[in-house]
Structures are given as C-alpha cells and as structure tokens.
Amino acid sequence: MSSESVKEDCFAWAARDPSGVLSPYKFKRRTTGEDDVSLKITHCGICYADVIWTRNKLGDSKYPLVPGHEIVGMVQEAGPNVSRFKPGDRVGVGTYVNSCKECEYCNDREEVHCEKGSVFTFNAIDLDGTITKGGYSSYIVVHERYCFMIPDDYPLALAAPLLCAGITVYNPMMRHGMNQPGKSLGVIGLGGLGHMAVKFGKAFGLKVTVFSTSISKKEEALGVLGADNFVVSSDQEQMKALSKSLDFIVDTASGDHPFDPYMSLLKTAGVLVLVGFPSEVKFSPASLILGMRTVSGSITGGTKVTQEMLDFCAAKKIYPEIELIPIDYANEALERVVKRDVKYRFVIDIENSLK
C-alpha cells in the first residue's frame, strides 16, 4: 500500500433497499495500492444493469449499493508500480475491476471470462473482501490493468457509454468478422447497445438494417444513425422480403421475442450474436442446421479489445448519442430506462453535480 495515501470520503448516490431509490451516501474507499489508480470521476453512464441490481432483480444485491459501470474521469493518484497512467490522464473503467490475472483467459487479456470470475465494478466481493461500489460516486480506486486510456480528443461524456454498451456490441462484431465492407448486418433493437451496433456497422462499411417493434424509431434509425433500411419486425411482408439476405445479425433485445423469423433472414453460414437477455431462446433446429447458421453469445470484452475499441472510436469519430443529466435526476433516469425512454444513453455529469 502507498504510505502517502489518505482515505478520503467518497461521495455517492446509493440504493438502500429493493425499492432501488437512490439518495446521497458517503463512504471510504481503499487507499491507493502499489498497482492502483485513483480516478476522479467526471461522468458515468447509466446501464440497465443499474436497474437490475439497485432493485435486487437477481436476489443478490448488497446494500447500500452504488451502481454505475460506465466510468470516465481523470487520474488523481497512481501507485508506485503503475506504468501506464499518471496524474491528469483521462481514464475509463468498465464492467469489471479485478480478476485472478493468471488463468488462460486473463493471460489472453479476456479477463471478463476469468476462470475464477471477474470482479464486477459494483455489488461484487473484491479481492480484499470489500464490496465494490460503482461510478455514481466522486472517485474510484482500481488496479491499473482494468483502466483504459481515453484518447485526448475524445469527449469524456461521450466515452462513458463505450465502456459497456459500446464494447458489448464491438467485441462480438470483431470476433465474427463483422468488419468486412459490403456485407449486410441486421440490428435487432435500437437502444443503448443497438444504436452503437448501427454506428459500428456503418464505420465498418456494412449495409445496416434496423429491426424494431416501433415505427416511431424509423426516422432516427435512418436519419440520425445512418442505417440503410428499417423494418418493423411484426410486419411479415417486410420480413419475408429480406429472407436469406443478411450475413450477420446483432440481437440486442432483452424482451422476449421469436427467433425463427430472424434466423430465416440469415444467408447460408450467417451468424446471429445474442447480447441481450431475454428470458429464453427458442428456435427450430432446422433454422440452424439447414442454413449452416451460427448462434453465438457475448458479454462485454477483455482489456485488449476494449482499448482497441476506444482507439477505433476516436480515429473514426464514432460518438454515442447521449442525454447528459445531473446526479439528482438519476432516479427519474432509471425509471425512463425501464420504459426505454432515452435516446440512447443517459450519462451522469458527476463532476458538476455530485457535491
């Protein structure tokens, strides 16, 4: 441990019970260790995961619970062994803050798949036995391995959603070769994840079709996000017209929906990647076998691909669409996330509103 570090009060907003209602909260974070970075948080994105755990949807919430895992800010202190960051650097922290560092997945920099389980940024038990607390807070202390450099010319507020929403779609797109210009991509659902899949698809030179249950999203999909085509998924004629026309589909929808209609849109050897969490996945074996198709799943991404994505977004000027809010709007924002009433990611202005 660094002898110079002094435990400062960390100001935050926390849920105290399964109502999920957030209110001001003060606690102590660990001192900055030899390999740690202490990060003054400037912005934090709001993810549906914040709803799940503040409201104890999975039955494992540990209160008081400070949510938030799309974190960006400035380094205020670096431990003596830290080589990649120095005070003043612009840094991001994503969905996990620790892992075993020695299994095959950690060695491949796929730490999110750590054999012993990666330590989530909030509501997890850290290696020192404390409960992790997330980014709805004034600062955070994280091992340097799990921090990412935000390119100098990339706005911090816009970088926040990349740390979960962005990497969740970028990682499987890269793994399945969805960066081949001229190929065709379908994106199911147009929320925080879906809108980033559209932006990445266009940056890769793909022909992008958006599938949504809501015709109201057509103008945004085509005009703002640059999609090539928009289909109301309940319209059987529109769906039939696209039979066997897509090379890839990224499915971001977490609500329950049928899979066979989408499988029929894939070309032979097409790939559907599931990144949402419907309650079940059902499709006919024929949908898979007859077209030699692949169904794959993916969560966020390891440290290597996350940094690559941040650098790619900076180079290509890919920016999420956000609504910037003060911390005292967080409860209302979480309600709006449940209602899918956001275009397309809330970002909390921590620096200017958390006092």
Side-chain angles (χ1 to χ4, degrees):
M1 288 289 182
S2 168
S3 58
E4 297 170 19
S5 294
V6 178
K7 278 194 177 183
E8 298 175 15
D9 283 338
C10 185
F11 297 96
W13 277 48
R16 308 312 208 280
D17 58 51
S19 72
V21 174
L22 300 167
S23 57
Y25 172 61
K26 192 163 71 173
F27 66 102
K28 303 279 191 194
R29 289 207 183 268
R30 72 167 186 258
T31 52
T32 307
E34 294 180 346
D35 303 302
D36 287 338
V37 168
S38 176
L39 175 71
K40 180 193 176 195
I41 298 172
T42 60
H43 300 87
C44 184
I46 293 183
C47 175
Y48 192 73
D50 303 345
V51 174
I52 291 171
W53 276 285
T54 54
R55 301 184 182 188
N56 199 27
K57 301 273 191 190
L58 301 182
D60 65 350
S61 296
K62 304 167 185 69
Y63 299 102
L65 189 150
V66 179
H69 63 199
E70 295 182 337
I71 301 166
V72 291
M74 312 281 283
V75 176
Q76 56 186 0
E77 182 185 12
N81 294 346
V82 172
S83 59
R84 293 170 51 226
F85 304 102
K86 63 186 185 306
D89 282 348
R90 310 158 88 248
V91 172
V93 175
T95 58
Y96 53 93
V97 292
N98 230 321
S99 66
C100 79
K101 305 180 185 69
E102 54 194 29
C103 70
E104 62 175 302
Y105 302 106
C106 286
N107 287 336
D108 286 342
R109 293 186 64 191
E110 288 283 4
E111 299 91 341
V112 69
H113 299 293
C114 174
E115 281 182 3
K116 295 182 180 174
S118 59
V119 176
F120 293 153
T121 303
F122 67 86
N123 196 57
I125 299 172
D126 208 346
L127 301 187
D128 63 358
T130 60
I131 306 300
T132 56
K133 291 179 167 55
Y136 293 23
S137 58
S138 54
Y139 79 101
I140 192 169
V141 179
V142 181
H143 189 289
E144 72 163 328
R145 176 174 181 149
Y146 310 95
C147 296
F148 306 100
M149 191 69 81
I150 307 295
D152 284 342
D153 56 350
Y154 203 94
L156 285 176
L158 299 179
L162 300 179
L163 279 310
C164 176
I167 188 59
T168 298
V169 292
Y170 180 88
N171 184 34
M173 289 178 81
M174 293 302 288
R175 192 169 72 248
H176 292 286
M178 297 187 199
N179 58 344
Q180 303 171 58
K183 299 259 181 165
S184 51
L185 169 72
V187 177
I188 304 173
L190 198 60
L193 277 66
H195 98 286
M196 288 307 303
V198 174
K199 285 176 180 274
F200 286 134
K202 293 308 296 179
F204 292 142
L206 306 181
K207 184 181 179 187
V208 180
T209 298
V210 170
F211 297 90
S212 176
T213 55
S214 173
I215 188 68
S216 65
K217 295 197 172 177
K218 180 173 183 176
E219 202 173 308
E220 288 267 332
L222 301 176
V224 177
L225 303 176
D228 300 283
N229 195 8
F230 181 91
V231 172
V232 177
S233 52
S234 58
D235 187 323
Q236 293 182 5
E237 289 301 311
Q238 285 188 50
M239 294 288 281
K240 197 178 289 184
L242 288 176
S243 178
K244 298 182 181 175
S245 69
L246 302 176
D247 295 289
F248 310 108
I249 294 176
V250 174
D251 185 350
T252 73
S254 285
D256 287 339
H257 56 285
F259 282 80
D260 285 310
Y262 291 110
M263 297 288 282
S264 71
L265 306 184
L266 288 170
K267 294 179 182 177
T268 298
V271 177
L272 183 148
V273 173
L274 182 67
V275 293
F277 276 88
S279 65
E280 66 174 12
V281 176
K282 286 175 72 173
F283 52 83
S284 160
S287 290
L288 197 66
I289 295 166
L290 297 183
M292 201 168 64
R293 298 178 179 112
T294 297
V295 174
S296 175
S298 190
I299 48 173
T300 55
T303 56
K304 182 172 185 284
V305 70
T306 302
Q307 187 64 59
E308 287 172 0
M309 173 210 58
L310 288 165
D311 295 339
F312 179 77
C313 287
K316 297 289 186 180
K317 295 185 166 40
I318 300 168
Y319 303 121
E321 306 292 324
I322 71 164
E323 185 175 329
L324 193 63
I325 62 166
I327 187 79
D328 57 13
Y329 188 76
N331 286 308
E332 200 166 339
L334 288 167
E335 275 300 315
R336 284 178 57 192
V337 167
V338 172
K339 295 172 185 165
R340 301 186 186 136
D341 174 26
V342 54
K343 292 176 181 174
Y344 284 90
R345 206 65 158 179
F346 286 115
V347 175
I348 305 170
D349 184 351
I350 298 287
E351 185 177 35
N352 292 313
S353 65
L354 179 61
K355 307 296 182 190

